[in-house]
Amino acid sequence: MNIGQLSDITRYDPYERYVMEINWNELTPTDLPGDLGEIAADCNMEFARYLVEMWGGAMIYIPTLSKLKKAKRDQLILRDYNGANVGKLASTFGVSRRYVNKVVRDSGPSADRDAAVSR
């Protein structure tokens, strides 16, 4: 077997002889499998096509709205943190002082923040 024959084998697609081209204009959401059909029905077919072309085969995680809100809150805590305002931040964001310190500590190494947290 030569290299040319090997490359022909690796490009073989058993479905190629049945479906040569997908005409997205002829498809409806009910033609699409599983969650993709639901996404196409809720959004549109163009978005479903984008997902297939850009993310097809990938496993992606879509966070819940509450996780997005928590991440944004934590960003705001870090943005406003100055080492002396832990109590004010805790009150403003409805969390404990301990939680504010944890957010700061978990954000990574920073000499100013580490010194302030240990107070």
Side-chain angles (χ1 to χ4, degrees), residues 1-118:
M1 178 177 287
N2 66 37
I3 293 179
Q5 290 172 322
L6 183 59
S7 66
D8 289 342
I9 291 172
T10 59
R11 288 189 302 220
Y12 173 73
D13 181 354
Y15 300 104
E16 189 172 323
R17 63 185 177 159
Y18 300 111
V19 180
M20 296 302 289
E21 189 71 30
I22 292 178
N23 185 345
W24 284 89
N25 296 326
E26 294 176 1
L27 294 177
T28 65
T30 57
D31 295 326
L32 303 176
D35 293 339
L36 186 61
E38 290 182 37
I39 290 170
D42 291 344
C43 298
N44 60 45
M45 287 296 290
E46 191 60 33
F47 184 65
R49 180 179 181 171
Y50 167 80
L51 289 176
V52 168
E53 291 176 355
M54 298 303 293
W55 294 94
M59 296 194 60
I60 61 172
Y61 168 74
I62 301 171
T64 62
L65 185 56
S66 64
K67 290 210 184 238
L68 290 174
K69 288 178 180 180
K70 180 181 180 294
K72 183 62 177 174
R73 179 196 62 207
D74 292 355
Q75 288 175 351
L76 294 173
I77 288 171
L78 288 171
R79 182 195 69 190
D80 296 344
Y81 178 79
N82 66 16
N85 62 345
V86 173
K88 182 176 185 291
L89 289 172
S91 175
T92 299
F93 293 103
V95 297
S96 68
R97 293 171 61 95
R98 177 180 278 183
Y99 183 80
V100 171
N101 286 327
K102 179 185 181 317
V103 168
V104 172
R105 186 176 53 250
D106 291 351
S107 71
S110 170
D112 295 337
R113 290 184 179 157
D114 290 343
V117 170
S118 63

